[in-house]
Amino acid sequence: MTALEKTWGYIPPRQSATFDAHSIAEIRRAAATGIYDIRGGGTKRKVPHFDDLLFLGASMSRYPLEGYRERCETSVVLGTRYAKKPLHLAIPVTIAGMSFGALSAQAKEALGRGASLAGTSTTTGDGGMTPEERGQSKALVYQYLPSRYGMNPDDLRKADAIEIVVGQGAKPGGGGMLLGQKISDRVAQMRSLPKGIDQRSACRHPDWTGADDLEIKILELRELTGWEKPIYLKIGASRPYYDVALAVKAGADVVVLDGMQGGTAATQDVFIEHVGIPILSAIRNAVQSLQDLGMHRKVQLVVSGGIRSGADVAKALALGADAVGIGTAALIALGDNDPRYEDEYRALGTTAGCYDDWQEGKDPAGITTQDPALSARLDPVLAGRRLANYLKVITLEAQTIARACGKSRLHNLEPEDLVALTIEAAAMTRLPLAGTSWIPGQ
Amino acid sequence: MDLSALSLRELNARLQALKVPTNETFWRVQNPNGAHAVAVGIDAPIDVEVAGHVGYFCGGMNKCARIVIHGNAGQGVGENMMSGLIHVKGDASQSAGATGHGGLLLIDGNAGARCGISMKGVDIVVKGDIGHLSAFMAQTGRLVAFGDAGDALGDSIYEAHIYVRGKVEGLGADCIEKELRDEHRAELFALIEQAGEAHKIDVSEFRRYGSARKLYNFNIDNAGAY
Amino acid sequence: MCGIAGLFIKSSRLRPELGALLSDMTSALCSRGPDSAGFALYTTSEPGRVKLTLTSVNGRRDFQTLGEILSRSLGAPILTTHRYTHSVFTVPEEEVAQCRAWIVENAQDIRVLSEGSNLEIYKEVGYPDDVARKFDIRSISGTHGIAHTRMATESAVTTTGAHPFSTGPDQCLVHNGSLSNHASLRRELRQDGIVPETENDTEVAAGYITRELRRGRALGDALKSSVNDLDGFFTFVVGTKNGFGVLRDPIACKPAVMAETDDYVAFASEYRSLTGLPGVANARVFEPKPATPYFWEH
């Protein structure tokens, strides 16, 4: 014991709030490796989310519906504006776009199986359509991305809807990167690139820029597919009021709005954590934009980014969305970050629940990898069944809430059924703070 | 088929409905007047003559068909074409042959910016000049320009081959001049022959450009190129 | 996000048709910009007089009476001609400053859309074909003109938010694209005494050109330096009393096609906009190069 401690007692070392352990580790890592941190997944920091909203269940002024007995409709139709064949889904939960390349063929197949069992759609990603995925998906949305990897007219016509990707929530304004480690022969062949090299995906489309040119691109895609298929437009949440308006003006049937919590296969951590806005703060402006144009419910709105439970689904719908998309939650349902591989996660320097190095292709769960041995760990039939179970559970949860609010249709949930728990959430969603009639800023 | 009387939908629906084998192998499109998405998504070995200028995306995603445009073509002519021939008798606007997977895009005049952007196997022969950022992120296939090339040629190029006869304003990141060997002369000769110019142009007058392959895997010392 | 058409007439025989030709060119660009449309036309001038194009933020207004009141108040004759929601006041040159000051003080709903010896601007919210018809643009003759159809990006769909923007005498500018540093530039311009009236990025670009011209630079030089000072994506068409210029940003994503004959130089976002021009089949059709100012002058 030092003389000082004898006098004053133990004085613990003080850590800087600014230069906290994580920040210091990042600086050391950048200095040592000369590369920024690339990882998968969505934002990890805490941001305002659906947890900050609560439903006002029926009590005396309203009457609830009987759980399990009285019907609560869940179906939704996407693409009613121009498409001859809109998508009829049994549940308002869709599977978001994830590429073959980022995911193994088994994982893509499992997503298709699970979605089909639950009566909903799944979506391709950057890298083209695999036969496994098409074969197992009753409703498949084909993403049309800047890279156009594997793009061809036959697959376009095989799709049930086309999703033009402008951006995603994890990185609005950014392109993509599939690192060389994950480029197997099959992935390389589908993308017309050599094996083992980093594959960049552009941030802008090669043959159009801006909504005025997009309108012509949408015309071309409709002409290519006989005006049958719904045309979705996917955007990352940043300026949703303007972006949704431009999507509508360019002629989209469906707008997919992805918040910052939405995942990515591989992007700079600085992008994931610092660009874009939480989905909670984006929905009301997107809906307002549709309402101002007289297009709410005519152009459908699908929101994604951090949807985990039936409560999240119900809240998104109540705020005005027509459906939600799930990505990360679907991967977890398949078996991503499963604690039974804890020893292997430890060996990779992480732990089950935190594993986000999806870009490395060493996923113990066999999902975000192209390694044949690892991929073989995922049984597409079993994993598909798990996903279907999960989709059904969150739909039941959403119905439970809707019935409690007296709704015979999930889509009859409305903002007035909600209150906010925090001032931040109240301001972002234009809902009153719980127990008050106060909406910040109004 | 007269586009001043027929709708674009009727035109494309009739062309797209043709399947091998068909006897209706010759089609002429009158009065295109700059219309967009003309003759897109054809999937049969037919001949389509377009009598005039077209707008964006003419011949988009073409398979097998031979499309001749007697005029200028707007943005993205032959975008993502899979096979067949698209022949522009005049100039082509920006992003000609973008992401094309196969076939030949032949342009008698000049091509604008980003000609052959992200090309994935298509061959593009331009008898005039090509604009800036041509062959940007070009993956595979061949781009030939009889005239000059604008700035940032072949920026971030992968395995595509570029041949330019005129002067190049500047090369993009990771694009370098490479030796024109006999196999390249043969490749070039075949392309020029397909363009109907065999023996009129000496293949030795061209210079070859391709990837230095330094950006294939990330290295912080190349950060200036990003 | 927009459509642009511009026509610079070289031969005097086509001048009576300026409005008609420009209307037809604009009609082909309706889908590029269904929110609003605008026309800047360089018409006849009277020596010693300046034209002010006025509109009211309240919609229609009795411009006849306003003109009479203003005339009495200034003690100077003012000629007024009305088109739909706009009116052109022709004012003696020496009275322009006073006239504008009077409007600011006494008619707060009035916005001056343009000032110049030749320039008149007509712009309004609505489908471009309807806008052109309501202003009867077809009947206007002149030497050159620029038209615009707008798909609004971030600023409001209003009359004053429509293009063209004029921030200096006989100057106007239309824009297709989206600027990414206009907020900072707007603050800078304010310090230099140019106060943009809308939140529109294009008005900032117009103001930038005006500032550079005020500093004594030639239009070509002002356009050239804008490539360094304006960030984002743009194709500009600018008009001055005698001339007509075109500029695209260095990446040049936004479309531009030009046709030149002995009779005219025409600019459009898409070729289909040019198809109705006389003799266009034999015109020299080309695309302006990126970051290169083009300029034609009478």
Side-chain angles (χ1 to χ4, degrees):
Chain A
M1 200 178 269
T2 63
L4 202 64
E5 281 172 343
K6 274 182 193 149
T7 315
W8 298 100
Y10 176 66
I11 303 171
R14 183 176 181 189
Q15 183 162 52
S16 164
T18 306
F19 289 88
D20 58 12
H22 179 71
S23 305
I24 289 172
E26 271 306 300
I27 293 169
R28 299 170 78 86
R29 196 198 46 73
T33 64
I35 185 167
Y36 37 48
D37 185 24
I38 291 182
R39 67 171 175 88
T43 186
K44 287 194 161 183
R45 65 151 118 185
K46 189 165 174 59
V47 293
H49 197 34
F50 292 118
D51 288 341
D52 298 331
L53 304 181
L54 294 173
F55 277 103
L56 303 173
S59 180
M60 284 296 285
S61 64
R62 297 196 181 192
Y63 314 138
L65 295 181
E66 193 61 57
Y68 300 108
R69 291 198 181 83
E70 284 163 334
R71 194 164 169 71
C72 180
E73 179 62 42
T74 61
S75 68
V76 64
V77 185
L78 301 179
T80 53
R81 187 186 188 190
Y82 292 121
K84 278 190 221 156
K85 294 184 179 169
L87 232 56
H88 292 261
L89 304 180
I91 59 171
V93 186
T94 65
I95 307 299
M98 289 174 274
S99 75
F100 167 65
L103 303 188
S104 65
Q106 289 87 337
K108 288 299 286 176
E109 181 184 337
L111 290 173
R113 286 177 179 274
S116 298
L117 280 172
T120 189
S121 62
T122 184
T123 311
T124 68
D126 209 353
M129 185 188 286
T130 63
E132 296 94 322
E133 183 179 28
R134 175 63 278 188
Q136 295 306 332
S137 307
K138 272 187 203 146
L140 181 60
V141 182
Y142 189 26
Q143 283 197 333
Y144 189 77
L145 292 120
S147 70
R148 313 273 164 89
Y149 289 137
M151 173 55 55
N152 70 77
D154 301 325
D155 286 347
L156 200 66
R157 293 192 184 103
K158 279 183 210 152
D160 299 295
I162 298 161
E163 181 170 298
I164 301 174
V165 179
V166 172
Q168 66 188 87
K171 44 180 175 178
M177 175 75 93
L178 190 62
L179 294 182
Q181 302 91 298
K182 284 175 81 172
I183 313 298
S184 65
D185 286 328
R186 187 175 175 200
V187 172
Q189 186 262 328
M190 279 183 71
R191 299 180 180 215
S192 323
L193 279 170
K195 192 182 170 184
I197 71 169
D198 297 346
Q199 297 189 353
R200 299 178 290 260
S201 300
C203 67
R204 290 196 311 274
H205 281 256
D207 54 358
W208 66 271
T209 310
D212 42 16
D213 287 343
L214 173 58
E215 195 242 330
I216 305 170
K217 176 50 77 177
I218 290 178
L219 169 75
E220 187 208 5
L221 291 172
R222 291 199 196 279
E223 283 293 323
L224 277 161
T225 52
W227 290 73
E228 286 183 348
K229 307 183 193 304
I231 307 282
Y232 297 15
L233 194 77
K234 180 173 180 175
I235 52 179
S238 58
R239 295 182 174 88
Y241 183 85
Y242 300 120
D243 294 340
V244 168
L246 285 165
V248 170
K249 288 174 191 175
D253 292 310
V254 175
V255 178
V256 180
L257 180 67
D258 191 22
M260 78 179 291
Q261 303 102 311
T264 168
T267 297
Q268 299 92 326
D269 178 78
V270 71
F271 217 145
I272 297 172
E273 296 288 357
H274 297 279
V275 184
I277 62 174
I279 193 63
L280 183 77
S281 62
I283 300 179
R284 270 320 269 280
N285 285 331
V287 171
Q288 187 70 51
S289 184
L290 291 169
Q291 285 168 340
D292 289 351
L293 293 167
M295 297 306 271
H296 188 219
R297 304 285 187 221
K298 294 176 187 158
V299 168
Q300 285 79 36
L301 177 69
V302 180
V303 303
S304 53
I307 303 281
R308 307 150 300 180
S309 66
D312 291 347
V313 176
K315 288 168 186 175
L317 262 46
L319 288 173
D322 295 280
V324 302
I326 59 166
T328 305
L331 297 187
I332 294 168
L334 296 186
D336 177 68
N337 269 294
D338 191 331
R340 72 187 163 124
Y341 296 116
E342 181 59 19
D343 291 346
E344 292 178 51
Y345 288 121
R346 287 282 165 90
L348 292 167
T350 182
T351 180
C354 297
Y355 177 68
D356 59 10
D357 284 326
W358 298 351
Q359 78 286 355
E360 285 186 344
K362 297 175 185 164
D363 184 1
I367 294 170
T368 60
T369 181
Q370 295 300 320
D371 182 295
L374 292 173
S375 314
R377 290 180 175 182
L378 190 80
D379 175 350
V381 178
L382 192 66
R385 181 70 240 176
R386 288 165 58 96
L387 175 61
N389 286 345
Y390 165 68
L391 287 168
K392 286 177 180 172
V393 167
I394 63 173
T395 304
L396 280 172
E397 287 175 347
Q399 284 173 301
T400 301
I401 287 170
R403 285 196 187 94
C405 293
K407 316 285 178 178
S408 61
R409 285 184 54 85
L410 273 186
H411 290 86
N412 287 344
L413 287 166
E414 51 199 359
E416 288 73 10
D417 294 316
L418 290 166
V419 292
L421 262 179
T422 65
I423 295 172
E424 287 88 347
M428 288 174 187
T429 54
R430 280 171 248 157
L431 294 172
L433 192 65
T436 77
S437 57
W438 181 49
I439 301 172
Q442 288 192 11
Chain B
M1 291 188 288
D2 187 345
L3 259 182
S4 61
L6 209 63
S7 74
L8 181 72
R9 185 76 289 262
E10 288 167 311
L11 169 82
N12 284 328
R14 286 182 69 177
L15 295 175
Q16 289 164 0
L18 300 169
K19 297 281 176 249
V20 190
T22 173
N23 292 326
E24 300 173 290
T25 55
F26 186 81
W27 296 79
R28 192 173 166 80
V29 180
Q30 308 271 21
N31 295 311
N33 277 335
H36 303 311
V38 171
V40 298
I42 302 177
D43 193 2
I46 57 169
D47 283 281
V48 180
E49 299 262 334
V50 183
H53 302 311
V54 289
Y56 290 34
F57 309 133
C58 183
M61 298 213 186
N62 184 55
K63 278 175 84 180
C64 308
R66 297 166 59 87
I67 301 171
V68 181
I69 299 155
H70 294 272
N72 296 335
Q75 209 158 310
V77 63
E79 69 88 15
N80 211 87
M81 63 186 285
M82 306 302 292
S83 60
L85 167 77
I86 297 179
H87 184 176
V88 183
K89 295 277 191 172
D91 294 336
S93 180
Q94 55 182 299
S95 303
T99 74
H101 282 72
L104 174 67
L105 172 63
L106 176 59
I107 296 162
D108 287 352
N110 301 318
R114 290 174 280 278
C115 177
I117 180 172
S118 201
M119 56 196 278
K120 296 169 171 43
V122 70
D123 289 326
I124 304 176
V125 177
V126 182
K127 294 187 187 170
D129 303 334
I130 51 176
H132 74 287
L133 269 170
S134 285
F136 177 51
M137 292 178 83
Q139 297 177 210
T140 66
R142 285 82 55 97
L143 171 64
V144 181
F146 290 6
D148 301 336
D151 200 16
L153 177 69
D155 195 288
S156 306
I157 187 173
Y158 295 99
E159 294 296 296
H161 297 183
I162 305 175
Y163 300 99
V164 181
R165 187 168 65 151
K167 66 173 197 296
V168 173
E169 207 174 310
L171 294 174
D174 212 28
C175 183
I176 52 169
E177 184 173 349
K178 294 185 164 184
E179 186 193 354
L180 190 75
R181 296 193 299 268
D182 283 346
E183 77 241 43
H184 305 117
R185 288 193 187 88
E187 175 175 88
L188 192 49
F189 183 83
L191 287 166
I192 292 172
E193 194 171 36
Q194 279 189 63
E197 303 286 325
H199 304 297
K200 291 183 207 163
I201 289 169
D202 182 359
V203 292
S204 309
E205 291 172 18
F206 287 81
R207 300 171 87 156
R208 180 169 78 100
Y209 304 90
S211 180
R213 302 191 179 98
K214 285 192 178 145
L215 299 184
Y216 274 18
N217 292 98
F218 187 87
N219 179 341
I220 192 66
D221 295 326
N222 294 329
Y226 288 93
Chain C
M1 310 293 154
C2 310
I4 304 174
L7 187 62
F8 177 81
I9 294 176
K10 298 183 196 170
S11 71
S12 52
R13 66 180 180 83
L14 276 182
R15 285 180 185 168
E17 293 179 53
L18 175 71
L21 292 170
L22 203 54
S23 297
D24 289 344
M25 290 172 76
T26 312
S27 185
L29 301 173
C30 287
S31 57
R32 293 190 75 85
D35 292 337
S36 67
F39 298 82
L41 298 132
Y42 292 84
T43 67
T44 50
S45 63
E46 283 180 62
R49 287 184 164 263
V50 167
K51 294 194 274 196
L52 299 175
T53 313
L54 309 181
T55 191
S56 166
V57 291
N58 300 335
R60 281 172 183 274
R61 195 185 208 275
D62 181 0
F63 285 107
Q64 189 69 36
T65 309
L66 179 74
E68 285 161 15
I69 297 169
L70 181 56
S71 205
R72 276 200 298 278
S73 163
L74 292 178
I78 290 174
L79 299 173
T80 60
T81 55
H82 315 300
R83 280 181 189 272
Y84 186 36
T85 53
H86 291 22
S87 184
V88 175
F89 282 24
T90 308
V91 183
E93 208 168 2
E94 59 278 7
E95 304 289 343
V96 172
Q98 245 186 301
C99 181
R100 294 192 71 149
W102 187 92
I103 289 169
V104 169
E105 195 158 319
N106 301 291
Q108 275 128 19
D109 61 311
I110 298 293
R111 296 289 176 276
V112 180
L113 299 181
S114 73
E115 172 191 323
S117 57
N118 296 62
L119 176 62
E120 297 172 12
I121 284 182
Y122 301 101
K123 59 184 189 181
E124 199 48 272
V125 172
Y127 199 66
D129 278 344
D130 297 334
V131 173
R133 199 179 56 250
K134 285 174 176 164
F135 281 117
D136 192 18
I137 299 295
R138 302 191 77 81
S139 67
I140 302 175
S141 62
T143 52
H144 53 300
I146 296 168
H148 187 267
T149 65
R150 178 168 184 234
M151 190 187 281
T153 46
E154 293 182 10
S155 56
V157 179
T158 58
T159 305
T160 49
H163 303 213
F165 285 97
S166 179
T167 50
D170 278 316
Q171 293 162 21
C172 74
L173 180 141
V174 296
H175 167 213
N176 179 18
S178 176
L179 300 180
S180 59
N181 67 337
H182 64 98
S184 302
L185 202 51
R186 173 177 287 130
R187 283 185 281 273
E188 202 183 287
L189 289 173
R190 268 199 199 109
Q191 298 222 311
D192 293 335
I194 293 171
V195 183
E197 292 182 5
T198 70
E199 291 305 306
N200 196 300
D201 55 344
T202 306
E203 193 184 5
V204 174
Y208 171 85
I209 302 282
T210 300
R211 182 185 72 181
E212 298 306 302
L213 294 180
R214 270 192 204 167
R215 289 174 172 175
R217 309 182 69 189
L219 180 62
D221 293 336
L223 287 175
K224 214 172 248 174
S225 65
S226 71
V227 172
N228 294 325
D229 294 337
L230 301 178
D231 206 352
F233 292 85
F234 54 85
T235 294
F236 292 135
V237 178
V238 298
T240 64
K241 187 174 169 180
N242 303 318
F244 166 84
V246 171
L247 178 71
R248 304 173 79 187
D249 69 76
I251 300 178
C253 283
K254 299 316 295 179
V257 57
M258 304 206 63
E260 184 164 16
T261 70
D262 291 341
D263 292 329
Y264 58 79
V265 179
F267 173 97
S269 297
E270 297 175 22
Y271 179 78
R272 58 183 174 154
S273 173
L274 304 173
T275 52
L277 291 172
V280 75
N282 299 314
R284 182 172 81 94
V285 176
F286 65 100
E287 288 192 359
K289 290 190 188 313
T292 309
Y294 289 75
F295 203 69
W296 289 266
E297 215 158 17
H298 282 299

